[in-house]
Amino acid sequence: MPRPMPPKVVEALETGVNLVKLWEAADPEAELSRVAGDVGALAVGGHVRVDGPYMERFPRLQLVSSFGVGYDAIDAAWAGGRGLVVTNTPGVLDDEVADTAMGLVLATVRQFPAAERHLRAGRWIDGAFPLSHTLRGRTLGILGLGRIGKAVAHRAEAFGLAIAYHGRRPQEGVGYRYCSSAVALAEACDILVVITPGGADTRHLVDAAVLKALGPSGILINVARGSVVDEAALIAALQSKTILGAGLDVFSEEPEVPQALLDLDHVVLLPHVGSASHHTRDAMGQLVVDNILSWRDGRPPLTPVAETPWRGSYGAPSGSR
């Protein structure tokens, strides 16, 4: 474990495997060199970059168990090409992130945070908070209709919103309107929810053209990765009123947030808390542990990512820690 993870993950792994807590070493680099030849599994969070050269340092490596549904910090294609398995924590955080997305939708459209600031500053005595915009008659577009995207759609339907989506291809059995591109989706909707995976393939997928297509009554919600949105283009669109507002849980250079965003009152900002409840983080941590214990026992991984499908065995030599 290169860096600290939730205490329950650390405690469970300490009782189940020979856990190397690299961050506790007086000289982490020296400790890594000492143990690298014996390490068969890595337990990592999204803050650890696991690229090919890093994985090559562990000749017996078989498994990378990652905390989180997104795994763009891991070169899964490199791992898959060498028979290694990468796991993530899908499913257990779908509802929490979908709740966060809808919370941002409501907070942004109805300007609830600004209304609270109005009250706390004592300005209600001087006059009512201005009238807000509404969800009535709007269409919600989902950029990335995976498990979380479908959970967002389910909630949005309960609010009476029409649904459209864009992905690599239309999905069978899905009754929502399909749009052939991100620009086409932005043109078709009033609220654009970004919940597509991060990584090179989706970097700046939401650019100036998409924001222009979303239009002056449009709202952008990002609960995916900061890299999916061109942050400079978003700031320009907000400053020029090219779009109406934005609700953001993720940013390009976390935990740094551009001052230009902080200065805007028609933006709702959260510190990447989409899955940050005790219930959900405990479930995510347990899935990290369960994947490692399955590896320890020679059983199949529970949640291998698409780039590293289970092929009946782990790819690296046995005898690892």
Side-chain angles (χ1 to χ4, degrees), residues 9-32:
V9 176
V10 177
E11 293 165 8
L13 290 178
E14 282 182 317
T15 63
V17 296
N18 183 2
L19 180 64
V20 178
K21 295 182 284 186
L22 194 61
W23 73 93
E24 291 187 347
D27 186 340
E29 181 61 30
E31 179 67 2
L32 189 152

Side-chain angles (χ1 to χ4, degrees), residues 169-194:
R169 63 190 65 85
Q171 296 187 27
E172 293 184 7
V174 171
Y176 310 131
R177 175 183 174 184
Y178 176 75
C179 298
S180 60
S181 69
V183 169
L185 178 62
E187 290 173 341
C189 72
D190 308 283
I191 303 168
L192 179 60
V193 176
V194 182

Side-chain angles (χ1 to χ4, degrees), residues 224-305:
R225 285 287 187 267
S227 62
V228 180
V229 175
D230 182 338
E231 200 163 73
L234 173 61
I235 291 169
L238 289 164
Q239 290 174 335
S240 65
K241 303 296 179 68
T242 297
I243 64 172
L244 181 63
L248 309 173
D249 187 42
V250 291
F251 305 89
S252 293
E253 301 293 337
E254 297 175 5
E256 300 295 328
V257 177
Q259 186 63 43
L261 286 175
L262 297 173
D263 291 341
L264 294 171
D265 203 44
H266 56 307
V267 181
V268 179
L269 308 173
L270 298 178
H272 204 152
V273 295
S275 64
S277 71
H278 293 293
H279 169 86
T280 295
R281 290 293 173 85
D282 285 350
M284 292 165 63
Q286 189 59 53
L287 194 45
V288 169
V289 172
D290 290 344
N291 273 302
I292 290 175
L293 296 184
S294 288
W295 159 79
R296 179 200 65 184
D297 297 337
R299 293 182 283 111
L302 302 179
T303 53
V305 304

Side-chain angles (χ1 to χ4, degrees), residues 35-127:
V35 302
D38 293 326
V39 171
L42 299 175
V44 298
H47 50 281
V48 177
R49 179 67 186 169
V50 184
D51 57 14
Y54 186 80
M55 286 183 274
E56 277 189 317
R57 300 188 69 175
F58 306 96
R60 291 180 176 270
L61 184 64
Q62 297 180 324
L63 173 73
V64 180
S65 184
S66 178
F67 183 92
V69 68
Y71 53 94
D72 42 296
I74 302 170
D75 192 340
W78 187 96
R82 288 152 181 81
L84 309 183
V85 174
V86 176
T87 61
N88 63 344
T89 60
V92 296
L93 49 66
D94 297 355
D95 287 332
E96 213 74 76
V97 177
D99 288 349
T100 302
M102 288 307 300
L104 280 171
V105 168
L106 286 167
T108 306
V109 173
R110 295 295 313 280
Q111 299 173 271
F112 289 148
E116 188 195 29
R117 291 193 293 272
H118 180 88
L119 181 150
R120 288 182 180 274
R123 298 199 298 270
W124 191 8
I125 294 172
D126 301 323

